[in-house]
Every structure is written in structure tokens, then in C-alpha cells.
């Protein structure tokens, strides 16, 4: 079964308090040299049938209408080998 | 600045209620043909300096001790071009 990954991240101009919390905690934990952290969501979809252009268009629409809030979030759709 | 991505997903044997909720909602919304959905976290780290083996080892340790709960989660570390 083919796997398609949808990554959803806050747009760069949107404040990311989760990512900031992680970034600020790192030096305390002994990890330096990380200038910025952004935290987002990863969806792994197991797709029945072939992942052709029609299936990808459907998944794109699904991501746009349901998985991501496109007012504040960007998303990418990738087929995993 | 180099970007390193850490993906954190629940282990396959761990129940994923968030992913299940998404999967069950899809047919109601008119999207069929998705057999399974797993939801996880994606961290985008902006790394200062070169991303050499030492830096990647440090990020691996950071992911293992801090970003993921390795009792129930798997993680992958990838350098983004």
C-alpha cells in the first residue's frame, strides 16, 4: 500500500509558541547552536489503490480543506517510496 | 543556515487516536480510499554552523532525550537541502 505524507507547518509569519518553548529549553538541557525551532504536524496516509495524479489531487484537496488551516498553515504533500 | 528536520511518530504498535479520528472523519467529508492515518510531530531546526557528523549526533541525542518519548515514539533525523 502506498504511503503519502502531508506535512503541515505554521506559516513563517505566524508566531509558533510550541517551537519557541522547545528552542528556549535546549540551552538549559545542554544543546547549543539551534537558532530556531518550528513545530508542526505530520500525517502519514496509507492510500488504497494507485497514487496517480487523480489520487494526489484528492489528497491535496483533503489537506487544504481538512488537515491544514490554510489561513495560518502551509502544507506539503509527498509520496513516500 | 542549514535546516534539520526531526519527525516523531507513535510506534506502529501504539494506538493513535488522533490519526483514527482523522481517518474516520474522511469518508464523511467525501474522501474515500484512505486505509489508515497516523499523526505525528515535525520539528524544523535551524542549525548554526556546519551540519557535520558531530552536529547530527548532537541532534540525534536531542531528539532521543527531549523531542521524542522513545518508549512510545520513533523518530527520524533528516538534513534538508
Amino acid at each position: 500500500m502506498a504511503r503519502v505524507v502531508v506535512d503541515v507547518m505554521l506559516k513563517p509569519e505566524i508566531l509558533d509558541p510550541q517551537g519557541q518553548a522547545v528552542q528556549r529549553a535546549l540551552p538549559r538541557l545542554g544543546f547549543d547552536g539551534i537558532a530556531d525551532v518550528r513545530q508542526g504536524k505530520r500525517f502519514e496516509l496509507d492510500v488504497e489503490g494507485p497514487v496517480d495524479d487523480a489520487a494526489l489531487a484528492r489528497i491535496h484537496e483533503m489537506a487544504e480543506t481538512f488537515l491544514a488551516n490554510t489561513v495560518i498553515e502551509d502544507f506539503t504533500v509527498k509520496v513516500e517510496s
Side-chain angles (χ1 to χ4, degrees), chain A:
Chain A
M1 196 170 296
R3 170 162 293 177
V4 176
V5 174
V6 179
D7 286 322
V8 178
M9 301 297 293
L10 284 170
K11 288 179 193 278
E13 66 270 26
I14 305 287
L15 194 69
D16 177 2
Q18 277 187 306
Q20 279 187 347
V22 172
Q23 197 223 327
R24 284 184 198 152
L26 290 176
R28 272 192 284 124
L29 295 160
F31 298 107
D32 292 309
I34 306 294
D36 194 23
V37 178
R38 307 279 292 175
Q39 182 174 346
K41 284 175 281 188
R42 174 184 169 92
F43 296 92
E44 293 183 352
L45 312 176
D46 287 345
V47 180
E48 287 164 357
V51 181
D52 48 17
D53 284 354
L56 281 177
R58 235 161 24 87
I59 290 169
H60 193 94
E61 192 195 337
M62 189 193 301
E64 193 161 14
T65 56
F66 180 52
L67 300 178
N69 174 355
T70 53
V71 176
I72 57 168
E73 291 171 327
D74 290 326
F75 66 90
T76 59
V77 176
K78 272 175 295 190
V79 183
E80 274 208 348
S81 51

